[in-house]
Amino acid sequence: MNEERFGEFVLVRRHEQGHVAELVLDRPKAMNAVSTEMARSIAGACTALGEDRDVRVVVLTSTHERAFCVGADLKERNSFSDADLVRQRPVTRGAYTGVLEVPVPTVAAVHGFALGGGFELALACDVIVADRTAVVGLPEVSVGVIPGGGGTQLLPRRVGAARAAELIFSARRVEAVEAGELGLVDQVVEEGRDREVALELASRIAGNSPVGLRAAKRALRLGQGLDLRAGLEVEDAAWRAVAFSGDRAEGVAAFNEKRKPEWPGE
């Protein structure tokens, strides 16, 4: 396993011959509150991972024992003028869109607090694994703002408009078991096992065709919100992109020869 640091607060670890990358939030003294510097580092790491053709899955994790991420750095924000806030906006937005636009499957491993922007980072992932200590929520209206890292758009896509409205308007925190029941997270595991289970899932995903994974994610994401006819056209375009690939040829050959595929990744 090798490691690469992006700034002071973000670490990337590569597992499984580089096919699984772990994007680690590493600002434990602030419970991973997202400062301007940290946001810039998250965006930079996501860009690098998206461009790395060896990476097939990204797992988003935290080094803090009691928090995934508590959201925006409000201590930093408290010192901002209006002009500072305007200048910061594209930087912080870049962190959330960076995670959202990673072109391979992404899995969030959540424990402890995942609030505001912290929960939005998880929502930007394809799958959320949470342990029983997890507490999630979008409390932004309680401090005079709204979710600005994609929460108003991503949460209703997960749980429906009315449920998202109730959660955002009430600013309430939701503990792990209820979060699982409501679909705010996808899997609830025993305390301390979120990272382990997320990496196990990532390893399973990474055994599949890298061309297929990227195309499937593209079809899933681009098809959201479209009517069925338009969505099927998105799917057909993604299918055509993989149907004549080396991965497709290898996958069919390996199936017929009853062996494990050796994906060319093209």
Side-chain angles (χ1 to χ4, degrees):
M1 181 174 65
N2 60 52
E3 298 184 345
E4 179 182 4
R5 188 163 283 280
F6 288 79
E8 184 179 356
F9 304 129
V10 174
L11 179 67
V12 169
R13 299 185 182 123
R14 284 178 170 80
H15 308 255
E16 306 277 343
Q17 291 79 50
H19 297 325
V20 175
E22 188 178 353
L23 178 56
V24 187
L25 306 177
D26 187 29
R27 195 187 178 201
K29 291 182 180 178
M31 300 181 83
N32 290 328
V34 181
S35 63
T36 306
E37 179 186 346
M38 187 173 178
R40 191 174 286 114
S41 296
I42 291 170
C46 288
T47 298
L49 290 170
E51 292 172 350
D52 187 338
R53 301 301 295 188
D54 286 333
V55 174
R56 299 178 188 175
V57 192
V58 174
V59 180
L60 186 57
T61 67
S62 159
T63 58
H64 196 284
E65 292 183 357
R66 294 186 295 107
F68 175 73
C69 172
V70 294
D73 186 343
L74 296 184
K75 289 184 178 178
E76 179 188 56
R77 291 269 182 94
N78 193 46
S79 68
F80 278 7
S81 66
D82 289 352
D84 291 332
L85 193 58
V86 169
R87 282 191 293 270
Q88 189 207 37
R89 176 61 177 164
V91 178
T92 54
R93 191 176 180 190
Y96 302 109
T97 56
V99 175
L100 188 65
E101 293 176 1
V102 170
V104 299
T106 49
V107 182
V110 174
H111 60 266
F113 297 112
L115 300 172
F119 188 36
E120 288 174 304
L121 287 172
L123 289 171
C125 294
D126 299 301
V127 180
I128 303 174
V129 175
D131 83 356
R132 289 185 176 274
T133 69
V135 179
V136 305
L138 296 175
E140 283 88 346
V141 297
S142 70
V143 292
V145 291
I146 69 165
T152 65
Q153 305 305 304
L154 294 170
L155 189 58
R157 283 168 165 79
R158 269 189 164 266
V159 300
R163 178 69 69 191
E166 182 264 316
L167 292 165
I168 290 170
F169 295 160
S170 69
R172 74 182 178 95
R173 300 179 179 191
V174 182
E175 295 186 359
V177 172
E178 184 186 3
E181 292 170 349
L182 297 179
L184 299 174
V185 303
D186 301 300
Q187 189 175 354
V188 178
V189 300
E190 293 303 313
E191 180 176 345
R193 295 198 65 226
D194 54 296
R195 176 176 177 268
E196 174 190 350
V197 172
L199 286 171
E200 287 173 355
L201 174 59
S203 179
R204 190 157 65 249
I205 293 170
N208 295 314
S209 158
V211 171
L213 290 171
R214 286 176 179 251
K217 175 156 182 175
R218 189 163 63 249
L220 284 163
R221 286 293 174 90
L222 292 179
Q224 285 183 6
L226 300 179
D227 64 41
L228 180 59
R229 187 183 296 270
L232 289 172
E233 291 303 316
V234 168
E235 180 183 83
D236 187 64
W239 180 86
R240 290 175 185 277
V242 301
F244 310 103
S245 68
D247 273 15
R248 197 276 308 171
E250 169 61 11
V252 172
F255 177 84
N256 283 289
E257 295 165 17
K258 296 181 173 57
R259 60 175 175 81
K260 185 177 179 180
E262 296 182 7
W263 304 114
E266 57 186 20

